[in-house]
Structures are given as structure tokens and as C-alpha cells.
Amino acid sequence: MALIARRMSRLGTENAFKLGDDIQRCVDRGMDVIRFNLGAPDFRSAPHLNRVASEALDAGRSGYCDPAGILPFRQAIAAHVTRTRGTEVGPDRVVVTPGAKPPIGYTLQTYVDDGDEAIYPSPGFPIYESWVRFVGAVPVPLHLSDERDFAFTADDLAALITERTKVIILCSPSNPTGGVLSRAGLAGIAELIRERCRPDIRIYSDEIYEQILFDGLVHESIVSHPGMEERTVVASGHSKGFAMTGWRLGWAVLPTAEEAAIFKRININIMSCVPPFLQEAGVAAYEDPASAVEVRRMVGEFEKRRDWIVPALNALPGVHCRTPRGAFYVFPDVSGMCERLGVHRAHATLPAGARSRTSPAGMLQMFLLYRYGVATMDRASFGRIGAEGQDFLRLSIANSMDDIRRGVARIGEAAGDAEGFARFIAEEAAILR
């Protein structure tokens, strides 16, 4: 009998956090590291929201509460979804979770049995693939290509749907690509689902970046389309749009109150409840007019940074970067840079075990960190299945403009340092193994 359960070998991770050990190692060496790795807004939560939580805490509202969430918060979420998605939602279908990440696992645990298939975008948030594998489902990545601006059509999705498909995951705006699904595109996907899928299929619509859109775009949701309300789990929260990452305020809207009760039961089994004083600030985020002002200010800064970094990256040798329409990431193709530096050749000469654990983009990622103090994320960090041969890095623009400028300058310097890369491979072999 083994100490560790076999299922734990199927549980993945989020490399944006895992990279922290490497970053700390560089800091301990005295390096100044520019952190493009974490998807956390570099803005503080708004003072009016901090004040609400502080006053609630001072008033003693710090005990247990309804595991589904306090009623005023669930009412505020329901009103927000009703207003922005055009579908009538009541608080009995809302469950509050510690951040927007738990509903991913809750959904796959609730709806998927061993051998069922789950479709998810790749590149995409790595926790999708992790949970699909952990629950014993068959992972079916929907591969997104740079040539098509990381977009996909209903026809692309149709090619993956079978009689075993149980969950389809959508994410718009997207992490890591910044892609945004259009209303017309969602209409085509909704039509496909109505015509081709089992009635008990569930769509998991990850809308955590719903407030962060550029170029005048407005958020669109699959749940707004005919026949989708009864099939869709909508998940979002306060981490990104309200710069409240550490508050751990997330939520899910379920198709029925009965399904919401299951999510509530999972909450009870894992964490009892989200602290009520934090939820009171969550209410204010949706109901206080000051929140919209703060969101617009933050998104405006992200858009300015995007407008600077995309042409700056495209000016570097061997780098090609498309313009994201939402979220706060850029996802450049660095295959030309890998070729110039000899990364592909170096990867091919690694021992078989090491070669399978990394990629050319992963090796470039480590070179940029350990030699130039720039922390990025490689393509395999956003879904490993079928990622071979794709040389991309994700950079978070949730950084000051000064750090963004310095980081891009360092990447540009690294792009011409083939000798430095060769020395890195010789001197830091253990990092790649």
C-alpha cells in the first residue's frame, strides 16, 4: 500500500506560483527580478471597499455565515448577472466561493464521472486541465492557434464533441491569450450546443476578467443566448476587475437551485464559508458607484500598457505578438528568438527525461529569469497536452510602466546573447533537469 494516493499524481499545478521558488533563488543571489509571471493587478483594492470590510469587522461580523454566502452578497451578484447578461437570476442559484478558482473543481466533481469527456481551451488556465485529469475525466483540449488570433469557431468545437462530452469550458476574456469571444461567435457555439449536445451537458463559463476589456468592447456571455441559461455555470469574482486578489471573493451562478445546493455542500465539506465581513465589501463592489470609477481607471492603465508593450515586443528580433482585446496579458510567439539563441538545438540534446519535462520556451523562460531577471511563463504552463512545438511566453502587464519598459529592454538584450545562453545551459544544467 503506497503512502500517497494514486489520484494525486493526476493533480497539476499553477506554474505562476510554482515559479516563485526560482524567483526567490534569483533574489537570494542579489538579482532584481521583474515579475511578469503572476496575474495579479498591481493596484490596491479601492479605499471605499476596504472601509466597508473594516467597519464590518469592527462591528463583530466575523463569525460563521451561510455556506452559500450572505444573502445581501448573493442578491448583489444575482442583480449584477441579471443586468449584464440579460438573464433573470435569483440568489438561490448563487454560491459564494473563496476566489473564482474553486468553481472549476466544483463543476468537474459535480457533473463528471470517470471516462466522461471535458473540453477546455488550450492554451488556457492550467487548473482546467489539472482538474479534468484529477477527477478521472478524459481531457479534450481545444487547441487555439496564433495564426487565427487564438479564436475558434463552432466548427472547431463540433469536431471535438462526442456522446461522452459532459463539460465544455469557455473563458472570455482569456488567460493567457487575451482573446475575447464575440457575440456572434457565442451565438454559433450556443446553436451547436443546442443541436449537437446532450441536454445534461454543462458549460463552464469562466468570466473572471469580465471587467477588463479594451477598444470599447463590452462583455459577452454564453448564458445570454437561447437555451444556455439551463446549461451554463457562470463563474466570476473580484480578484481581477476589482484588484481584490487576496480577498478571495468568487462566485458561481448555477442553472438551478438544486445544483447550487450541491456547490454549497462542497463548501461545507471544505471551508464552511467565506468570511462575512469580506462579503460585505463584495456587495459594495457591485452597488457603490465609486467602484465603476476605480475599474475604469485601472482598465485604462492596462490598455495604455498594452498599447506600448505590443509594438515594443514586435520590434524585438525573433518575437511576434498579437494585440489582446482583454485581460492583462500578452502572449508573444518567441520561436524566432529560440532559433537565434540555439534553444531548439539545446533542447534536442537534453537527456530524454529532462527533455520531456521542459520545452524550448521553458528553457528560454529560465534563461530570461536566471540571467536577465525577467520572470515569464512558458506555453506549457497553460495546458501541457498537445503543447509540443509551440514557443510562446506569457507576460502579465499588471506591472508599472517603468518595470514593463525595463523588462522588455532586458528581453531585447537577451535576444542577442547566444553565447550567454550557451553558458547558462552549461552552468545551470540542474535547473533544467
Side-chain angles (χ1 to χ4, degrees):
M1 183 181 294
L3 172 64
I4 305 301
R6 288 189 298 273
R7 62 179 171 271
M8 295 311 299
S9 67
R10 303 196 300 266
L11 189 66
T13 187
E14 188 175 353
N15 284 345
F17 289 102
K18 186 179 178 183
L19 192 67
D21 292 340
D22 293 282
I23 293 172
Q24 188 58 51
R25 196 173 295 119
C26 291
V27 170
D28 291 343
R29 294 180 181 183
M31 296 177 65
D32 164 44
V33 178
I34 296 173
R35 306 184 190 211
F36 286 138
N37 58 307
L38 275 180
D42 59 316
F43 296 87
R44 295 183 177 182
S45 51
H48 71 285
L49 303 180
N50 299 341
R51 186 165 55 250
V52 170
S54 178
E55 290 173 354
L57 189 57
D58 289 342
R61 294 193 286 279
S62 59
Y64 290 132
C65 65
D66 187 333
I70 63 173
L71 181 58
F73 191 27
R74 288 186 288 120
Q75 288 173 326
I77 294 165
H80 166 71
V81 174
T82 298
R83 181 178 64 254
T84 56
R85 277 72 165 181
T87 183
E88 193 68 32
V89 173
D92 60 333
R93 290 168 49 198
V94 177
V95 178
V96 177
T97 55
K101 191 181 291 183
I104 302 169
Y106 290 11
T107 295
L108 288 158
Q109 290 175 91
T110 298
Y111 301 112
V112 175
D113 284 317
D114 287 356
D116 288 344
E117 297 175 0
I119 300 172
Y120 58 94
S122 182
F125 189 45
I127 303 306
Y128 305 150
E129 188 170 279
S130 173
W131 267 107
V132 169
R133 296 183 67 246
F134 186 70
V135 301
V138 177
V140 183
L142 171 57
H143 290 293
L144 310 176
S145 69
D146 181 49
E147 293 77 14
R148 296 174 59 186
D149 206 13
F150 301 108
F152 70 93
T153 66
D155 289 341
D156 298 320
L157 184 58
L160 303 179
I161 291 173
T162 75
E163 69 279 358
R164 296 295 298 172
T165 302
K166 195 64 186 298
V167 168
I168 298 173
I169 298 175
L170 304 177
C171 180
S172 179
S174 164
N175 172 18
T177 69
V180 175
L181 294 172
S182 68
R183 185 169 186 82
L186 287 167
I189 294 167
E191 181 180 8
L192 169 71
I193 291 168
R194 290 192 302 269
E195 294 179 353
R196 286 280 308 278
C197 293
R198 297 161 32 166
D200 62 350
I201 197 171
R202 286 295 174 262
I203 313 305
Y204 182 82
S205 187
D206 188 340
E207 303 180 18
I208 187 61
Y209 295 95
E210 61 178 282
Q211 288 95 354
I212 306 175
L213 289 152
F214 309 133
D215 307 317
L217 295 180
V218 296
H219 180 62
E220 301 286 352
S221 173
I222 188 75
V223 80
S224 303
H225 294 266
M228 293 300 103
E229 182 177 356
E230 57 265 36
R231 292 176 169 91
T232 302
V233 177
V234 178
S236 189
H238 290 48
S239 294
K240 312 301 183 180
F242 297 108
M244 298 169 73
T245 51
W247 293 63
R248 310 318 298 141
L249 284 176
W251 50 261
V253 173
L254 283 297
T256 65
E258 291 75 20
E259 290 164 83
I262 296 173
F263 275 38
K264 175 179 176 176
R265 198 184 333 154
I266 300 175
N267 266 355
I268 292 170
N269 275 268
I270 295 176
M271 37 67 69
S272 296
C273 61
V274 173
F277 58 92
L278 299 180
Q279 295 186 57
E280 291 193 33
V283 175
Y286 288 131
E287 296 184 350
D288 191 323
S291 300
V293 175
E294 292 291 330
V295 170
R296 284 195 298 271
R297 179 179 67 85
M298 183 176 67
V299 173
E301 289 300 315
F302 287 146
E303 188 162 9
K304 290 177 186 175
R305 296 170 189 179
R306 178 205 66 164
D307 291 345
W308 185 88
I309 195 171
V310 169
L313 288 170
N314 282 324
L316 301 181
V319 178
H320 170 70
C321 184
R322 294 191 179 273
T323 302
R325 307 294 300 281
F328 41 67
Y329 309 107
V330 289
F331 196 61
D333 180 339
V334 292
S335 55
M337 185 174 174
C338 288
E339 191 63 33
R340 288 168 57 88
L341 292 175
V343 182
H344 293 129
R345 291 192 303 275
H347 181 260
T349 63
L350 288 175
R355 191 165 62 250
S356 68
R357 287 191 295 272
T358 188
S359 65
M363 296 172 72
L364 177 61
Q365 172 194 25
M366 290 303 177
F367 173 58
L368 291 174
L369 175 57
Y370 277 89
R371 288 296 183 265
Y372 285 89
V374 180
T376 62
M377 302 303 303
D378 69 328
R379 163 64 180 87
S381 295
F382 301 97
R384 299 193 68 86
I385 299 172
E388 298 84 359
Q390 300 179 37
D391 300 326
F392 292 86
L393 294 177
R394 190 198 76 173
L395 284 70
S396 168
I397 56 173
N399 286 279
S400 70
M401 185 62 81
D402 180 59
D403 276 355
I404 291 171
R405 293 178 188 275
R406 291 195 302 129
V408 171
R410 292 182 186 183
I411 294 171
E413 186 179 353
D417 190 10
E419 291 184 6
F421 177 76
R423 287 195 303 273
F424 167 73
I425 294 299
E427 296 168 2
E428 304 279 10
I431 292 173
L432 302 174
R433 286 168 168 75

